[in-house]
Amino acid sequence: MSQSATQGAAPAAPAGAMPQRAGLILGALVVVALVALFAGARYGLLLAIGLGFGIALEGLRFGFAGPWRAMILRREPSGVLAQLLSIALVAVVAIPLLSSHAGELVGAQAPIGFAMVGGAFVFGACMQIVLGCGSGTLVNAGSGNPVSLLALPFFALGSFAGAWNLIWWTDLGALPILRLSGIPGLGVTLVLLALAAAIFLWRAAPGTVKLSRRHAIAAVVLALLAIGNLLVAGQPWGVVYGLGLWAAKGFAALGGDLSGSAFWAAPGSMERVQSSVLTDYTSLTDIGIILGAFGVAAWRRGALATKLPSYPARAWIATIIAGFLLGYSSRLAFGCNVGAFFSGISTGSLHGWVWFVAAFAGAFLGIRLRPALGLEART
C-alpha cells in the first residue's frame, strides 16, 4: 500500500486530467492486447489480472504490511479482518477445486521447517522496516515511493540468492507437506480463520471500526482476482518467484552460471530463465501490479513526482539491506504475505498458518527497529 494510502480523500483531479486518464485506460488495453497477441490469450489475461491487483491495492488503499502495523500500534483490526475475509472467500472456492481438479490445479503448499519459520519471522520484521511486503513493494514502487523503488531491485536479488541456497536451508529439517483438503479441510480452514478473527476482535481497541466498507470491498475484489488467477494460471497468486526470476535472467544474461544452484538448475526453473518473461505467470501479475499502481497514482495526481524523504544515510542503507532480506527470507519461507499467507491458507496449506504466526511476531520487531534506523524521521 503506497504512502497515498495513509491519506484521506483523494485530491481533486489536476487540470487536463481527462485526456491523460483516457490515455492510461487506452495504454492498459493496448499492453494487454499486445501480450495476448504475441504471447497468447492466457498470458494477456494474467497481465490483466495483475493490473486488477495493482489497481485494487493502490486504488482502495489496501495492503498487508499497513493493516498489521495498524493492529499492532493502534489495535485497529479492520485491515487484518479484511485479509482474513478475503482468504476465506478464496478458500471456499479453491480448496474444493483443488480436490476435484488435482491434475489441473496446484495449491501454494510447502513444508514447515526451521528455515521456513525463521524466514517468515525475518520477512515480517523487514516488511515493517520498508512498510511493504511483496505485493506492497511492487505497489509502492509503481506509485513512485522512493523507499520501495530502492528496495525493489534488492528484493529481487535477495529472492534470487535465497532460491540459490534454498535446498541447503531446507535440509536443516522440515516436516512433510501438510494440507487441509476437500470439504473437511475447508471446514477446518474456515474455523481457524474465524478463531483468528475472534482474537483480533478481542484485542481491538474500544470504539475502533471492526471492518470498514472500503476494506470489505477490497477483500471481495482481491478474492475475485485471486480466484481468477487460480483458474487462469492453474496456480495461486504469488509474487516472490517472479522477482527472483528477473534477477536470475539478469545473472544469466551477464554470463553467470546457474548450474551451481539445485533450484535454478532444475529443468523447470531453467526453462523459465530461458523463456520470455511474458510467458511466466508470476512475472506477468507482478508487472501488472506495478503498472496498475502506476496507473492509479497517475490518475490521482497527474504525475508521479515524489519528494525524496529527508532520511539519514543509515535509513537508506537499512532500506537496501531490508529489501535484500525481504527477498532472501521469503524464498526460505516459501512465499511472502501473498504466496505463503494469503495463497497458502486459502489453498489449505498448514505452512501458511505457521508463516502467519512467525511473520506477525517478526512485525513487532520491525516496528521497533524502524524509528531506530531513521525511517520515521522526516523534515
Side-chain angles (χ1 to χ4, degrees):
M1 185 173 66
S2 69
Q3 288 180 328
S4 64
T6 63
Q7 300 172 353
M18 290 306 295
Q20 180 178 342
R21 290 176 172 180
L24 288 170
I25 296 172
L26 179 61
L29 294 174
V30 168
V31 170
V32 170
L34 288 174
V35 171
L37 178 63
F38 291 103
R42 171 177 290 188
Y43 302 109
L45 187 52
L46 280 168
L47 178 60
I49 290 171
L51 284 166
F53 280 125
I55 292 168
L57 291 168
E58 175 67 13
L60 291 169
R61 300 179 174 89
F62 189 65
F64 291 91
W68 288 23
R69 182 179 177 87
M71 184 66 210
I72 292 170
L73 289 179
R74 301 184 298 274
R75 292 163 57 195
E76 296 174 357
S78 179
V80 178
L81 292 177
Q83 293 170 11
L84 298 177
L85 172 60
S86 192
I87 291 171
L89 294 173
V90 177
V92 168
V93 177
I95 292 178
L97 275 180
L98 288 169
S99 295
S100 61
H101 295 75
E104 304 171 52
L105 305 175
V106 295
Q109 294 153 5
I112 300 168
F114 296 112
M116 189 238 107
V117 174
F121 180 88
V122 171
F123 186 91
C126 289
M127 80 172 185
Q128 293 300 333
I129 292 174
V130 303
L131 289 185
C133 58
S135 60
T137 301
L138 294 174
V139 169
N140 293 345
S143 62
N145 182 309
V147 170
S148 291
L149 285 169
L150 178 61
L152 181 57
F154 292 95
F155 195 134
L157 290 172
S159 176
F160 168 67
W164 187 289
N165 303 130
L166 182 60
I167 305 303
W168 185 88
W169 284 104
T170 54
D171 283 345
L172 294 177
L175 297 171
I177 293 176
L178 303 172
R179 62 191 183 95
L180 301 166
S181 59
I183 299 303
L186 173 60
V188 173
T189 297
L190 294 179
V191 168
L192 290 174
L193 287 167
L195 288 174
I199 291 172
F200 287 117
L201 286 170
W202 168 60
R203 293 297 302 154
T208 55
V209 176
K210 300 305 183 283
L211 180 62
S212 72
R213 181 173 179 269
R214 172 169 58 85
H215 284 157
I217 293 172
V220 174
V221 172
L222 283 188
L224 292 174
L225 290 167
I227 292 169
N229 192 105
L230 176 64
L231 295 176
V232 175
Q235 65 185 39
W237 179 27
V239 168
V240 173
Y241 179 83
L243 299 180
L245 179 63
W246 300 350
K249 285 178 175 290
F251 181 78
L254 293 173
D257 183 8
L258 295 171
S259 64
S261 167
F263 182 93
W264 291 114
S269 295
M270 189 60 71
E271 180 183 357
R272 290 186 179 92
V273 170
Q274 295 171 348
S275 301
S276 168
V277 71
L278 297 180
T279 59
D280 176 64
Y281 299 151
T282 308
S283 292
L284 283 167
T285 50
D286 284 354
I287 293 169
I289 289 172
I290 295 173
L291 294 178
F294 169 84
V296 172
W299 184 285
R300 283 175 176 156
R301 303 198 295 267
L304 295 187
T306 303
K307 182 181 178 182
L308 191 67
S310 56
Y311 292 145
R314 72 178 186 277
W316 297 108
I317 295 171
T319 297
I320 292 172
I321 295 172
F324 182 85
L325 288 176
L326 278 171
Y328 196 97
S329 63
S330 60
R331 288 312 308 163
L332 305 191
F334 297 98
C336 60
N337 293 67
V338 171
F341 170 52
F342 188 98
S343 293
I345 293 176
S346 65
T347 59
S349 180
L350 285 178
H351 96 283
W353 286 104
V354 177
W355 190 100
F356 183 27
V357 173
F360 206 88
F364 281 85
L365 174 62
I367 288 172
R368 283 184 167 272
L369 288 176
R370 184 174 162 83
L373 295 171
L375 284 160
E376 297 285 358
R378 298 190 186 187
T379 60

